Amino acid sequence: MKQNTKYIHAGSHPDPSTGAIMTPIYQTSTYVQEAPGVNKGFEYARSQNPTRQALEEALAIIEEGRYGLAFSSGVAATDAVIKLLSPGDEVICGNDMYGGTYRLFSKVFERFGIKFIYVNQQDVANIKAEIRPATKLIWVETPTNPLMNIADIEAITSLAKQHNIITCVDNTFASPYLQNPLTLGADIVMHSVTKYLGGHSDVIQGALVMNDKDLREKLYFLQKSCGAVPGPMDCFLVLRGIKTLHVRMQRHCENGRAVAHFLRSHPKVGKVYWPGFEDHQGHDVAKKQMRDFGGMISFELKDDSVETARKVLSSTKIFSLAESLGGVESLINHPASMTHASIPREERIKNGLSDSLIRLSVGIEDQEDLIEDLRQAIN
Ligand code: P1T
């Protein structure tokens, strides 16, 4: 099956009892058993739910993997991956990542004796230099949130394999439409489904996709034991969202390209972070591992005062000032005070995330309206 057809049909089976073409929302907490232990494969909805099962099948298919697991949020999915580890284990991760992931690592799991080492993953040598016997996981986010850094997934996974280290790639910014890390050697792909997969800013959800059966069993055990499962209504909404992922992503990419070029040509705009530019540090790697460059863009103004940035952030009319990304509507965000406020300021500045950085999630509205909105706000 080719890529676009997959988005429409992945996980879809006519309902056996009625023929309903859309997977029903099985809004139930439990299932009646014929006799103790005699059931239809469904015992209790934290462990199994048919709507979730259909979604998990779809997630696996569109990420080119064998097994999918859905969670109640992106951070819940990340939480399950880190719970594969034990006290004393070490994780090498990027020095630019979603603030909530950093908070989970540094404020929750550090307390349980897991050590996180933050490096610039644009250069694989930085990862190699930190590998020790205790290293059990390499956590990769690419493109990164919000600086749009690119890590070479294939180079990292081949290094990890030499040392028996698991690699998990947070593929939220690219979505499965643009990048499939499992085909590049990753062991686990993580998604904040909240974003492009849901696509309509109406669901909080996370996902993991993998190929290895043993890893799937361990992660399924954590999913049901810790209980961060999504409800069936949310699974239904994401099944619906996935059916249009390809058409939405095509427009996100087209609009992203137009907005990035507009920003770069604007006399008041300073640095624009978008991997589609040929002079972006990660452009060649992005071209190799992604199908296009997506709709996420960050930028700074030449006047880099926080006050000026705040004025722009409050002046857009179509771009709404909000956290999150990947929905059909365009959003504008101030990482330093919003999505990345949980990272200590000195850490942020050291890694290039300035107080005046502005992040855009370019939606699928008319390009001209988006550019005009940014023009009036910047002017
Ligand atoms: O919000 P949640 O579904 O729990 O997903 C967390 C998450 C994980 N990984 C990446 C790359 C993310 O961007 C996110 C969530 N990010 C935002 C809410 C944001 O505005 O950046």
Side-chain angles (χ1 to χ4, degrees):
M1 213 187 277
K2 295 182 83 168
Q3 203 192 7
N4 293 345
T5 312
K6 273 189 196 172
Y7 296 119
I8 312 288
H9 294 282
S12 277
H13 308 286
D15 181 52
S17 60
T18 63
I21 191 163
M22 290 302 146
T23 307
I25 302 162
Y26 283 89
Q27 194 77 46
T28 187
S29 59
T30 193
Y31 309 87
V32 177
Q33 310 203 8
E34 286 161 41
V38 182
N39 57 61
K40 298 179 167 64
F42 297 92
E43 294 151 302
Y44 184 62
R46 176 161 28 79
S47 306
Q48 310 99 358
N49 177 283
T51 319
R52 193 173 92 216
Q53 200 168 290
L55 171 64
E56 290 176 337
E57 184 187 333
L59 290 165
I61 292 170
I62 66 174
E63 255 312 355
E64 309 278 341
R66 288 178 67 194
Y67 308 106
L69 292 170
F71 291 82
S72 56
S73 68
V75 290
T78 303
D79 174 86
V81 174
I82 306 302
K83 283 178 181 157
L84 291 168
L85 308 178
S86 302
D89 288 349
E90 296 188 8
V91 182
I92 302 174
C93 44
N95 64 357
D96 183 51
M97 62 164 83
Y98 170 55
T101 308
Y102 175 87
R103 181 175 55 206
L104 179 66
F105 290 175
S106 63
K107 300 275 165 46
V108 180
F109 281 111
E110 287 271 0
R111 287 198 291 116
F112 292 92
I114 295 168
K115 191 170 169 201
F116 297 85
I117 295 124
Y118 303 89
V119 303
N120 184 335
Q121 294 187 336
Q122 291 175 110
D123 186 351
V124 190
N126 295 337
I127 299 176
K128 197 171 178 184
E130 294 295 342
I131 291 179
R132 283 180 278 280
T135 311
K136 294 289 152 54
L137 173 71
I138 300 177
W139 182 270
V140 181
E141 188 180 292
T142 180
T144 61
N145 180 359
L147 291 174
M148 306 302 295
N149 293 333
I150 302 292
D152 186 333
I153 299 173
E154 211 162 18
I156 294 172
T157 58
S158 73
L159 172 69
K161 281 185 200 335
Q162 289 165 28
H163 297 270
N164 259 326
I165 299 168
I166 289 176
T167 313
C168 180
V169 178
D170 181 337
N171 202 27
T172 300
F173 265 37
S175 90
Y177 179 76
L178 295 181
Q179 179 171 278
N180 300 115
L182 296 178
T183 66
L184 302 167
D187 298 291
I188 308 170
V189 173
M190 177 266 161
H191 278 283
S192 169
V193 173
T194 313
K195 312 295 167 5
Y196 289 107
L197 287 166
H200 297 76
S201 306
D202 50 11
V203 171
I204 293 281
Q205 195 177 109
L208 300 175
V209 182
M210 67 244 61
N211 279 318
D212 183 74
K213 193 162 193 297
D214 182 48
L215 202 49
R216 189 264 170 197
E217 290 314 312
K218 287 179 179 154
L219 289 164
Y220 172 65
F221 176 81
L222 288 164
Q223 183 199 39
K224 81 173 175 192
S225 303
C226 301
V229 291
M233 175 74 191
D234 286 356
C235 294
F236 171 86
L237 286 170
V238 175
L239 276 166
R240 183 158 83 162
I242 288 173
K243 288 183 194 293
T244 56
L245 180 68
H246 53 305
V247 281
R248 287 186 285 107
M249 288 311 297
Q250 285 160 20
R251 185 63 76 85
H252 282 296
C253 291
E254 270 172 37
N255 285 359
R257 177 173 280 106
V259 167
H261 282 100
F262 159 73
L263 289 170
R264 190 169 245 200
S265 69
H266 195 291
K268 289 191 176 172
V269 173
K271 186 158 183 199
V272 183
Y273 302 78
W274 180 66
F277 289 133
E278 280 179 20
D279 57 1
H280 182 286
Q281 187 180 352
H283 179 72
D284 291 339
V285 175
K287 230 164 87 175
K288 181 180 77 167
Q289 69 192 16
M290 297 173 74
R291 297 183 182 91
D292 205 334
F293 305 106
M296 294 302 298
I297 301 167
S298 294
F299 68 100
E300 282 146 1
L301 298 162
K302 280 193 183 136
D303 165 5
D304 66 353
S305 76
V306 182
E307 239 354 88
T308 313
R310 293 182 81 90
K311 263 191 209 155
V312 171
L313 285 152
S314 312
S315 304
T316 52
K317 298 190 168 77
I318 295 175
F319 281 83
S320 301
L321 178 62
E323 301 198 11
S324 204
L325 58 113
V328 290
E329 66 289 306
S330 293
L331 301 179
I332 190 165
N333 165 58
H334 183 226
S337 69
M338 294 165 68
T339 49
H340 293 71
S342 55
I343 304 176
R345 184 170 184 274
E346 68 215 58
E347 279 293 307
R348 268 197 293 106
I349 304 286
K350 192 176 78 192
N351 297 324
L353 203 178
S354 70
D355 287 333
S356 55
L357 188 85
I358 295 173
R359 190 191 74 182
L360 301 176
S361 171
V362 180
I364 64 171
E365 301 95 333
D366 279 307
Q367 234 168 66
E368 296 76 8
D369 288 334
L370 298 181
I371 289 174
E372 203 35 55
D373 191 32
L374 291 169
R375 193 196 315 277
Q376 64 79 27
I378 293 167
N379 285 345

